[in-house]
Amino acid sequence: MNAIKATWTKGQIVPAEPVDWPEGSELLVEALAPSEKIGMTEEEWGDDPESIAAWIAAVDKIEPMIWADGEREQYERYRKECRDFNIEAVRKQMEAMPDGEVP
């Protein structure tokens, strides 16, 4: 059986997705630690000078990526493989299209 996510609501466990388990199945239930919020909501977003200055200051704190020996080359090879794969996939899709058809 697969694990699923669920929410504790009004004293009941409410699955986030349908389940197809036999009646009487024994379950192991464990509460997750509250997740730390990432990012901002629309209401928290500001376009005033102070908010923009805070955003610039936060971006300026981001440290550059430091590559170990060979990592950059490995990354560039992977990017080329992905690019070549995508170009070939699109080429095949275009060849399979009837003449005159536009996606």
Side-chain angles (χ1 to χ4, degrees), residues 5 10 15 18 30-31 45-46 52 55 59 61 68 100:
K5 288 194 172 198
K10 297 181 183 175
E30 179 180 353
W45 190 262
I52 293 171
W55 177 252
V59 170
K61 289 181 183 177

Side-chain angles (χ1 to χ4, degrees), residues 39-103:
M40 296 190 299
T41 65
E42 189 75 25
E43 295 79 31
E44 296 169 325
W45 190 262
D47 59 2
D48 56 278
E50 294 81 18
S51 297
I52 293 171
W55 177 252
I56 291 170
V59 170
D60 286 344
K61 289 181 183 177
I62 298 173
E63 296 184 16
M65 181 114 167
I66 298 172
W67 299 92
D69 288 342
E71 278 184 332
R72 181 178 293 273
E73 294 79 10
Q74 182 180 6
Y75 172 72
E76 292 301 334
R77 278 193 305 274
Y78 174 75
R79 284 188 62 201
K80 182 180 181 329
E81 288 173 18
C82 290
R83 186 173 46 254
D84 292 347
F85 175 85
N86 287 325
I87 290 170
E88 181 64 15
V90 170
R91 186 190 62 73
K92 286 179 181 177
Q93 290 174 343
M94 291 175 72
E95 287 178 351
M97 291 172 46
D99 288 335
E101 186 176 319
V102 178

